[in-house]
Amino acid sequence: MGTPQLTKNQSLVMGALAHSDGPMSAYTILDKLRDHGFRAPLQVYRALDKLLEYGLVHRLESLNAFVACTCPHEHEHDHGVTAFTICEGCGQVTEFHDEGIEQRLSALVRAQSFKTEKTTIEIRGHCKSCA
Amino acid sequence: MGTPQLTKNQSLVMGALAHSDGPMSAYTILDKLRDHGFRAPLQVYRALDKLLEYGLVHRLESLNAFVACTCPHEHEHDHGVTAFTICEGCGQVTEFHDEGIEQRLSALVRAQSFKTEKTTIEIRGHCKSCA
DNA sequence: ATCGCACACGTTATAGCATAACGCAATTGA
DNA sequence: TCAATTGCGTTATGCTATAACGTGTGCGAT
Ligand SMILES: [Zn+2]
Ligand SMILES: [Zn+2]
Ligand SMILES: [Zn+2]
Ligand SMILES: [Zn+2]
């Protein structure tokens, strides 16, 4: 059960995100895809739901926006906790993963007897170029 | 330059959050305060902006909602990175702080020459009671 | 074959979250 | 007194997300 073949709409949304410099809101994606027959937000949101499920796309909660996953590895298994730096200047988003963070959070949460389903880590600030 | 005296609207919003079991959206707060003369979203958002600035309230990005800060210490200085567990079952939100996470994130971000302004850590899942 | 089901899709309408822009009043400090 | 700041109230608008309905297509079971 890896990533299934994408449907037409899913491919279009994936393509839009993959070729974008930075994160895009669902409505921005919609606008980019009007020429390809997209007319309504739901067409985008439905595709995004699947792409998120497949792990091809991440949602940035603090921006209400979406980015293509930049993980080098295959998307066939859940990659663990994903963290992002988000530059307020140029909009650049960098995805990264760290085993240390993951373990530390896991320990803290275990101490609460809390069962984690999804972890959001987003760091807003300025990148090297925009400092 | 600690926390200034709160205005009437700020106190009302702060009170609503402090007496609530869980996080509240701005519009939920608005509804709770209609009897106290609140009529428009901006009255809530403006108060929230200040309360966030003073560190009395936190915004939960993954919920578009707000909670009163539960830090024991005074709010006169920035408390460092704040993390939350959020139970999908009962809505309970627990705020916590960890020096280890903070240092690790700080090191990772420094490696990118990234200048952090605000860090969001939110863990969605189920609490002990709701497991 | 054809029935039933799952799934993607299209459309309209609606709900939920947040801010722009205007004007007024009270406070402060030069 | 005058200007600047801050809070407040109101109306309008914009952005984000989902509900609800119906259509069509593929595919396995009968
Ligand atoms: Zn990824
Ligand atoms: Zn930048
Ligand atoms: Zn706090
Ligand atoms: Zn719970």
Side-chain angles (χ1 to χ4, degrees):
Chain A
M1 198 224 108
T3 303
Q5 190 61 28
L6 298 185
T7 67
K8 181 156 179 287
N9 283 4
Q10 287 159 21
S11 294
L12 286 167
V13 170
M14 190 66 219
L17 281 173
H19 294 103
S20 163
D21 285 352
M24 300 174 85
S25 78
Y27 280 77
T28 304
I29 295 171
L30 175 57
D31 286 338
K32 293 249 188 247
L33 295 180
R34 290 212 186 266
D35 294 346
H36 296 270
F38 275 54
R39 321 269 346 195
L42 232 63
Q43 296 176 275
V44 178
Y45 281 111
R46 290 204 271 233
L48 284 172
D49 282 347
K50 287 299 182 181
L51 296 172
L52 288 166
E53 179 186 329
Y54 303 152
L56 297 175
V57 162
H58 297 290
R59 175 183 169 82
L60 300 172
E61 300 289 352
S62 68
L63 292 180
N64 294 327
F66 304 85
V67 285
C69 177
T70 58
C71 283
H73 69 59
E74 301 304 322
H75 298 277
E76 315 222 344
H77 47 46
D78 249 353
H79 43 287
V81 173
T82 306
F84 303 90
T85 52
I86 302 170
C87 176
E88 314 267 7
C90 62
Q92 177 186 101
V93 171
T94 303
E95 173 178 351
F96 63 96
H97 301 266
D98 182 75
E99 189 65 25
I101 298 273
E102 206 158 330
Q103 286 176 6
R104 184 96 194 180
L105 276 182
S106 161
L108 287 164
V109 152
R110 203 166 37 241
Q112 289 182 34
S113 301
F114 190 92
K115 173 77 167 24
T116 296
E117 265 132 42
K118 177 163 197 301
T119 301
T120 298
I121 303 180
E122 297 177 17
I123 303 171
R124 306 282 293 265
H126 283 87
C127 76
K128 184 172 184 173
S129 310
C130 297
Chain B
M1 198 222 106
T3 301
Q5 189 62 27
L6 298 184
T7 67
K8 181 154 177 288
N9 284 3
Q10 288 160 19
S11 294
L12 286 167
V13 170
M14 190 65 220
L17 281 173
H19 293 103
S20 164
D21 284 351
M24 300 174 86
S25 78
Y27 279 76
T28 303
I29 295 170
L30 174 58
D31 286 338
K32 293 248 188 248
L33 295 180
R34 289 208 187 270
D35 294 345
H36 296 270
F38 275 54
R39 321 276 336 202
L42 263 182
Q43 295 175 278
V44 178
Y45 281 112
R46 290 205 271 234
L48 284 172
D49 282 346
K50 285 301 181 181
L51 296 173
L52 288 167
E53 179 186 329
Y54 303 152
L56 297 174
V57 162
H58 298 289
R59 175 183 170 81
L60 299 172
E61 299 290 352
S62 67
L63 293 180
N64 295 326
F66 304 85
V67 285
C69 176
T70 58
C71 282
H73 69 57
E74 301 304 322
H75 298 276
E76 315 223 342
H77 48 46
D78 248 353
H79 45 287
V81 173
T82 306
F84 303 91
T85 51
I86 302 170
C87 176
E88 314 267 6
C90 62
Q92 176 186 99
V93 171
T94 304
E95 173 178 351
F96 63 95
H97 300 266
D98 181 75
E99 189 64 26
I101 298 270
E102 206 158 332
Q103 285 176 6
R104 183 98 193 179
L105 276 181
S106 160
L108 288 164
V109 152
R110 202 164 41 238
Q112 289 182 33
S113 301
F114 189 93
K115 174 72 165 35
T116 296
E117 265 132 41
K118 176 158 196 303
T119 300
T120 297
I121 302 179
E122 296 176 17
I123 303 171
R124 305 281 291 265
H126 284 88
C127 75
K128 183 171 187 174
S129 311
C130 297

